[in-house]
Amino acid sequence: MTQSHAGMVPFITAEEIDEMVSQLAQEIEQDYRGKDLVVICPLKGSVPFFSDLTRKLSLPQTHDFVHLTSPKGEGVRILQDITVNITGQHVLVVEEIIDAGRTLSFLKTRILASSPASLKVVTLLDKPARRELPIKPDYVGRTIDDRFVIGYGMDLEEIGRNYRAIYNYAQ
Ligand code: IMP
Ligand code: MG
């Protein structure tokens, strides 16, 4: 790996990620059979997971992107809002990781304001020990303890987004 970094310890291999994504896709496919989906990707960390997951779903689907930011000590802000009409639609938000739950809580409120037919959340990783707001994802790839990870979209100051595997990052 050309971009490796001191303090990176292998945590979840690319093969394990692929298995997790396939499993999640299977569950989603079963639950939404016969329905159309609007799949929403919050930028930027969810991009690899969103890309792999949606390509494993054969359901009819519309894609959209939303960009939120939460600078330290400030609330969550919208940089780029949803552009498709989600009123009356089945909406699935694809998150790579849920930590305190602030981003997702804000996004859920934003989406519910547009009265979708349903709203569910899939996350590849969940860190429930870090939760500050009562957010529960509907589909979870793996529950992990309180550790900082990079890779597969997740970054530390942009390092790690392009890695195929997920690493534990100890500073
Ligand atoms: P929350 O609003 O605290 O749940 O934060 C969720 C966001 O924080 C995720 O979408 C990630 O962008 C980032 N994040 C949380 N934990 C990690 C991590 O372990 N590695 C990299 N990014 C993380
Ligand atoms: Mg994110």
Side-chain angles (χ1 to χ4, degrees):
M1 182 170 300
T2 50
Q3 245 193 313
S4 76
H5 212 265
M8 269 174 47
V9 180
F11 182 44
I12 307 178
T13 65
E15 292 71 25
E16 286 175 300
I17 294 170
D18 188 59
E19 286 257 316
M20 287 156 69
V21 179
S22 294
Q23 179 64 39
L24 290 166
Q26 219 174 68
E27 286 176 44
I28 292 164
E29 192 86 33
Q30 275 166 15
D31 290 356
Y32 286 92
R33 189 161 293 154
K35 292 174 180 156
D36 291 13
L37 262 182
V38 177
V39 198
I40 293 184
C41 175
L43 297 168
K44 299 183 274 190
S46 299
V47 168
F49 178 40
F50 176 87
S51 165
D52 287 341
L53 181 73
T54 54
R55 284 178 296 160
K56 288 181 194 278
L57 292 174
S58 58
L59 298 159
Q61 55 198 273
T62 298
H63 294 177
D64 204 6
F65 300 85
V66 62
H67 199 176
L68 305 171
T69 183
S70 48
K72 268 212 172 87
E74 292 175 40
V76 184
R77 248 181 344 112
I78 298 181
L79 291 177
Q80 184 196 305
D81 203 359
I82 296 159
T83 61
V84 304
N85 184 4
I86 56 169
T87 304
Q89 301 296 312
H90 295 288
V91 176
L92 178 68
V93 173
V94 178
E95 270 287 7
E96 82 285 18
I97 191 164
I98 306 173
D99 191 75
R102 293 190 179 283
T103 318
L104 195 56
S105 175
F106 182 94
L107 182 57
K108 280 185 93 169
T109 304
R110 156 67 191 92
I111 291 169
L112 290 172
S114 294
S115 307
S118 70
L119 171 58
K120 284 191 180 184
V121 175
V122 53
T123 189
L124 184 72
L125 300 179
D126 189 17
K127 283 200 266 189
R130 298 261 308 165
R131 206 72 97 246
E132 290 171 19
L133 294 171
I135 283 283
K136 261 197 153 186
D138 300 277
Y139 306 95
V140 177
R142 190 182 289 188
T143 300
I144 64 169
D145 53 10
D146 182 5
R147 59 171 82 215
F148 195 81
V149 293
I150 61 171
Y152 198 63
M154 290 167 278
D155 73 307
L156 178 72
E157 290 167 2
E158 298 297 322
I159 292 169
R161 291 213 193 270
N162 60 322
Y163 298 171
R164 286 160 50 81
I166 296 173
Y167 299 83
N168 191 16
Y169 188 89
Q171 278 161 294

